[in-house]
Amino acid sequence: MERVLNEILDSPITERNIAESKKLYRDILSKNGTVYCVWTGRKINTYDIDHVIPFSVWKNNDLWNLLPSDSKINNQKRDKIPAPELIEKRKDQIIDYWQLIHETQTARDRSSSGCVHGIGR
């Protein structure tokens, strides 16, 4: 357990990097025309990318931790960890974004490997 925790917490990441997630949500907006704030559920046309677990707490730029947020809400949240009640309330939106990330990554993996419908590698 201690070794696993040390591996997780030992992070060489020193900079916030949200470029990939910004592109992902920009693509969603251009395709679907709709992006929702992860914390309010309101439709947003411009948004910040929020580190769900703040970068100051855990230097993690994984896509699952980077979700679109209304700029005002993101500025209010800043370096705070969302309350368990808020996460519970917004879990459907969070899971929807995680599913979208998974589908996007899976499609990208298939196209880059030359596979058709997940067959072959």
Side-chain angles (χ1 to χ4, degrees):
M1 175 78 93
E2 182 179 338
R3 187 169 60 98
V4 170
L5 286 174
N6 285 332
E7 288 293 322
I8 291 170
L9 296 175
D10 181 32
S11 175
I13 298 170
T14 58
E15 295 180 12
R16 295 173 191 251
N17 184 352
I18 59 171
E20 187 177 0
S21 63
K22 268 197 172 289
K23 181 185 179 332
L24 172 72
Y25 296 113
R26 188 173 39 248
D27 291 349
I28 293 167
L29 186 59
S30 68
K31 181 179 177 184
N32 301 337
T34 308
V35 174
Y36 296 94
C37 174
V38 68
W39 303 121
T40 66
R42 291 189 304 252
K43 182 178 175 179
I44 48 179
N45 294 315
T46 59
Y47 48 87
D48 287 347
I49 298 298
D50 180 41
H51 282 80
V52 175
I53 299 173
F55 193 80
S56 63
V57 173
W58 184 29
K59 294 184 178 2
N60 180 300
N61 290 315
D62 292 345
L63 288 176
W64 68 264
N65 193 40
L66 299 169
L67 301 178
S69 174
D70 177 273
S71 297
K72 181 178 177 184
I73 300 299
N74 189 42
N75 286 332
Q76 289 172 351
K77 177 181 171 279
R78 310 252 337 132
D79 291 338
K80 298 180 191 102
I81 296 174
E85 297 81 17
L86 178 58
I87 292 173
E88 178 65 30
K89 181 178 178 183
R90 301 302 308 148
K91 74 178 180 183
D92 290 340
Q93 184 71 67
I94 294 168
I95 291 170
D96 285 348
Y97 279 129
W98 287 350
Q99 182 64 35
L100 187 63
I101 291 165
H102 174 74
E103 290 168 4
T104 302
Q105 296 297 89
T106 301
R108 186 181 312 163
D109 290 347
R110 274 186 284 186
S111 67
S112 67
S113 67
C115 297
V116 177
H117 302 294
I119 299 172
R121 265 212 182 223

